[in-house]
Amino acid sequence: MDNLTHSLVGALMGQAGLKRRTGLAMPALIIGANIPDIDAACFLWLQGVQHLAFRRGITHGPIAWVLLPLLLAGGLWWFDRWQARRGKRPAGRLPVRFGWLYALSLIGTLSHPLFDWFNSYGIRLLEPFSSRWFYGDILFIIDPWLLLMLGAGVWASLRREKRGGAWRHPAWLAMVAITLYICMNWAITRDAARLASLDMDITHTIANPAMLDPRKRDLIWVGREGRHVAIPGFAGPTEDRLVTQPMGDAWLPSCDLAEAARRDSQVAAFLFWSRVPFVARDGDGSLFLRDARFADPRAVSRFQVELPPGTCTQFFGQ
């Protein structure tokens, strides 16, 4: 998910009562909820689409779940002692207990891979022990309704706390609402994916969440002779509302992507990340490798790599 969502998740857990466990609890929860994204530093040394193969891996896996909270808790504990030595420690701050600080850093950190798993971008939950990608296909990467519930819960809790009321209640209510919302989206994804049972030559179905309408899914039918997507977004079990079309221009089995990957590290990185690759041609005949999950014209430029000429030998419509 986006980092605003992760931050609000950490803040909401704090407003649910966890921030009273130790001093600096809120920084532990909020920073912990974002800290696996330190892998974004890879943009400093990786070129092109190579970041797709690096991100959501080692810093999102089991070793990082233990070490990153430890580093965060240690840093916050040192910061508290440093402020105290300088006489700058806020008088109202609760005593800092390292055990609780580590526990809250761990809770915040674990919330990050959980919410990243909810979308279709993918996450390597077992890295470095396994490079397998996991996908929840439950929420869009930036879900405005989830952001609204998170923000409302944090705002209402802080407002009530300022007035001396039961400030934990709004946060808990928001957490229940968010849980129900996630469960609803899981059920929609599951039901939409059942279209794989239609009488078509399909290996499996991906129900990709839409951005603004949680009822809809872009159905990507992974077939043996290419990729097919249902357009517009599926909003119910009415088969006559589906319009299918091939994704891309090339018949994928005719494309020697393995050889292209050996020749070009950019292609290799893209294929490692891609879940539903397809090949498209532009006006001058150049071939581009893309992914059906991110085929929107507004995003496709960030999720494509050019293929060497002659990679594919057969094209649709020829």
Side-chain angles (χ1 to χ4, degrees), residues 240-258:
D240 58 8
R241 294 182 61 185
L242 299 175
V243 179
T244 63
Q245 67 179 35
M247 289 296 294
D249 301 299
W251 187 55
L252 208 60
S254 76
C255 303
D256 193 351
L257 297 179

Side-chain angles (χ1 to χ4, degrees), residues 8 10-20 26 149-175:
L8 288 172
L12 189 66
M13 291 190 294
Q15 289 303 125
L18 289 178
K19 72 177 185 177
R20 303 302 300 172
M26 286 295 270
M149 287 185 283
L150 286 165
V154 172
W155 174 80
S157 178
L158 289 171
R159 186 167 179 264
R160 184 169 291 189
E161 182 181 13
K162 186 177 181 180
R163 296 181 175 183
W167 52 273
R168 295 175 177 85
H169 293 172
W172 277 103
L173 181 61
M175 292 175 71

Side-chain angles (χ1 to χ4, degrees), residues 28 31-32 35 62-78 98-110:
I31 298 174
I35 199 170
I63 294 178
W65 302 345
V66 177
L67 292 183
L68 291 179
L70 184 62
L71 293 173
L72 175 58
L76 292 173
W77 183 87
W78 173 86
F98 185 83
W100 268 111
L101 205 57
Y102 177 73
L104 298 184
S105 298
L106 177 62
I107 291 171
T109 301
L110 290 177

Side-chain angles (χ1 to χ4, degrees), residues 5 38 53 55 71 118 120 138 145 147 151 194 197 213 217 231 233 291-292:
T5 298
I38 59 172
R55 295 209 62 196
L71 293 173
F118 284 143
S120 63
I138 295 173
W145 307 110
L147 281 169
R194 286 177 178 172
S197 62
D213 193 340
R217 297 292 184 273
I231 303 174
D291 190 283

